[in-house]
Amino acid sequence: MRWRLPEERPAEPPTGFKIAHPMLSQDGSRAGFTGVSLGGALPYGVLDEARCVYGLRHRAPHRRCDCGFHCVHDRTAAEAMLCTAEHRNAVLLEVSVLGAYLRFELGFRYARQRVRTATVGPCTCGSVAVALADAGWGKPGWRALAASCAGCVRGRPSVSLATFARLGGEGLRVRAGGGAAPSGGDLPEGLGVSELIAEAALLQARLDWFQTQLARLGGC
């Protein structure tokens, strides 16, 4: 006799939380994410279908495999993972669990997902992030990104939070989740930086960098 697990048919897709590294395609035309553990080998889009990381042909999630997207039920549990040293550059994702899924005590393993919101932490200097800049590593065809303030972007390849959301598509929202306001700013605490200010700060940082380079060349 074969044991059958109970089936759920929710009226609305369940919501889950996870952490991931933001990614930008080599040509700069697409934005996505990559996982921090088992799923780190396969970058995925904002709306995507899980594939078996072991290359097996079965559909994810298979009961006898670890494949499929993973998330937890509780936002606080996902945020706690951002405290570890190896995950400091990851972002917090709020996702819709789509397709077939397996429910566990702490979360889901499932077939398809839509990333609804990505919350970007502060820059490594502690300032609020206005951009996602080259993190110094990546996957074939994909460049990993990390939160950066206007002053720390400098000459690194980068995109504003609004641009990353646009490249991701599917209604993705990207917001700055915390950090100190830029010097001279008078922004309400906890509200982050508006996209217009973010774009202006990013352009100013690039202009300052180019002016520094020109000054060095002029002094040669």
Side-chain angles (χ1 to χ4, degrees):
M1 183 174 180
R2 187 173 181 179
W3 178 261
R4 293 180 62 87
L5 294 175
E7 294 186 1
E8 298 182 25
R9 297 186 181 276
E12 297 291 336
T15 295
F17 301 91
K18 62 194 300 181
I19 64 173
H21 294 288
M23 307 289 286
L24 184 68
S25 63
Q26 183 179 0
D27 61 4
S29 64
R30 292 177 295 157
F33 302 93
T34 191
V36 297
S37 56
L38 181 64
L42 300 174
Y44 55 85
V46 173
L47 177 62
D48 213 337
E49 185 170 347
R51 299 175 294 279
C52 181
V53 296
Y54 303 111
L56 301 178
R57 295 183 179 180
H58 55 238
R59 290 185 177 181
H62 197 277
R63 294 178 183 175
R64 297 183 180 180
C65 186
D66 295 328
C67 60
F69 291 119
H70 295 72
C71 71
V72 295
H73 300 303
D74 184 43
R75 181 188 184 98
T76 304
E79 289 175 331
M81 291 186 283
L82 294 171
C83 295
T84 62
E86 62 271 27
H87 299 156
R88 289 291 177 91
N89 288 335
V91 299
L92 176 69
L93 304 183
E94 179 181 338
V95 302
S96 291
V97 175
L98 306 175
Y101 63 81
L102 301 175
R103 181 187 288 271
F104 296 93
E105 180 180 0
L106 298 179
F108 297 99
R109 183 160 63 90
Y110 50 102
R112 300 178 67 238
Q113 77 174 6
R114 181 191 300 273
V115 181
R116 301 203 305 252
T117 304
T119 302
V120 180
C123 177
T124 54
C125 72
S127 298
V128 68
V130 299
L132 291 166
D134 188 357
W137 63 276
K139 304 287 183 181
W142 292 87
R143 177 182 289 114
L145 304 177
S148 179
C149 69
C152 293
V153 168
R154 301 189 185 278
R156 291 185 293 165
S158 61
V159 292
S160 70
L161 304 189
T163 299
F164 186 87
R166 177 178 59 80
L167 293 175
E170 301 294 341
L172 174 66
R173 294 175 295 171
V174 182
R175 66 184 188 90
S183 59
D186 189 23
L187 298 173
E189 183 178 357
L191 293 183
V193 181
S194 69
E195 294 300 345
L196 181 59
I197 294 177
E199 293 281 2
L202 182 59
L203 290 173
Q204 184 61 51
R206 289 176 173 172
L207 178 60
D208 291 343
W209 183 83
F210 281 116
Q211 288 177 334
T212 301
Q213 301 305 310
L214 288 173
R216 290 178 178 175
L217 291 174
C220 293

